Amino acid sequence: MTAADRYVTDLDHEEVLLRRGRRSGLLTIVAVHSTARGRALGGGRLWRYDDNRLALRDALRLSRAMTWKSAVADLPLGGGKGVVVLDATPLTPARRRDALLDFAETVDAFDGRYVTAEDVGTSARDMATIASATPHVTGLSRRRGGSGDPSPWTALGVLAAMRESAERALGSADLAGRRVAVIGLGHVGLPLARLLAKEGASLVVADINRSRRADAEALGARWVSPRTAMRAAVDIVAPCALGGVLDHETVPALRAPIVCGAANNQLADDGIAELLAEHGVLWAPDFVANAGGIVNIGVELRPEGYDPRVARERVRAIGDTVRRVYDDAADRGTTPLDAAMALARARVAAG
């Protein structure tokens, strides 16, 4: 039995629905992990997998993570995730629309218990297509009454988490003059790098896409390889691209006292949290630090509607949550990961 098989058979989810799209022929998946605190929110992604079991595993894993992310941010939301499994046939504009409409039907089958949003492989324009077939979608453009691209809000939340981490590990929340390595200049990494530049931080940046080097030059940042950035002599390393970057090889090589970034699933496994502590590295749990996007969407879902001023206030409060996690970890003699998970589980149990 493979790891994927073991994961799929160990279900603690409320609902999982797999449907073959009648238009596109593509498999669509929605996994709802928990609605204990409210409607399950989680992005819908278009992605190609080696087999359908891996796609299902992704939906299960990510929906569970969304439950904890929403709970630790104290949002009245649960956790869910949607996946459209791409195949070898080219995704023409017409087939893409068909796939999105097929996914919208799967979303709609939950009758509001699951709300989808932008994710890997999808855009605000895609959300508009989905919204033509189901009302259970967020992250629409401001013109359509939504809150727009969530990426800048995620970046703002990570910045708040960085300030709190710097206060804890370096004695001051002021990021001016701090050296920060941003790994990944994508939808969140680039806005984060721009915010840090405005704060007066000294930047080292990396991306596997060499065309991003122009962005680095515009910021006055030093361009290096991702491997060099991870090992750089900086104050903060900010992983903002792929997950699993913190493992038994990279953690001992870290020269930064803080790791705080936007990437999901930064730990290769949960035991790496202990390894980081053993090496004196303060790690801001990713699902706490990168919750700005979902916090913003939470404002969009309020009965009174979206207000960017409220969103900014609540996203900045991620720093308060990070402080509580660090305090709880210190009081209990445990890792920030354990403290964050304890807080999330307690809130889910309380409903």
Side-chain angles (χ1 to χ4, degrees), residues 95-130:
R95 193 169 189 238
R96 183 185 189 90
R97 178 176 175 79
D98 286 346
L100 293 169
L101 292 175
D102 287 337
F103 177 62
E105 288 186 353
T106 305
V107 172
D108 206 56
F110 285 83
D111 198 26
R113 296 185 300 280
Y114 168 69
V115 183
T116 197
E118 184 178 340
D119 201 286
V120 175
T122 58
S123 65
R125 178 177 293 181
D126 293 331
M127 293 305 106
T129 300
I130 294 170

Side-chain angles (χ1 to χ4, degrees), residues 156-175:
L156 183 63
V158 173
L159 185 73
M162 281 186 177
R163 287 179 177 141
E164 193 57 44
S165 300
E167 175 74 35
R168 185 66 50 127
L170 305 175
S172 172
D174 188 0
L175 297 177

Side-chain angles (χ1 to χ4, degrees), residues 145-191:
S147 59
D149 182 4
S151 301
W153 298 102
T154 303
L156 183 63
V158 173
L159 185 73
M162 281 186 177
R163 287 179 177 141
E164 193 57 44
S165 300
E167 175 74 35
R168 185 66 50 127
L170 305 175
S172 172
D174 188 0
L175 297 177
R178 297 295 184 195
R179 297 161 298 167
V180 183
V182 179
I183 304 171
L185 290 180
H187 287 301
V188 179
L190 184 56

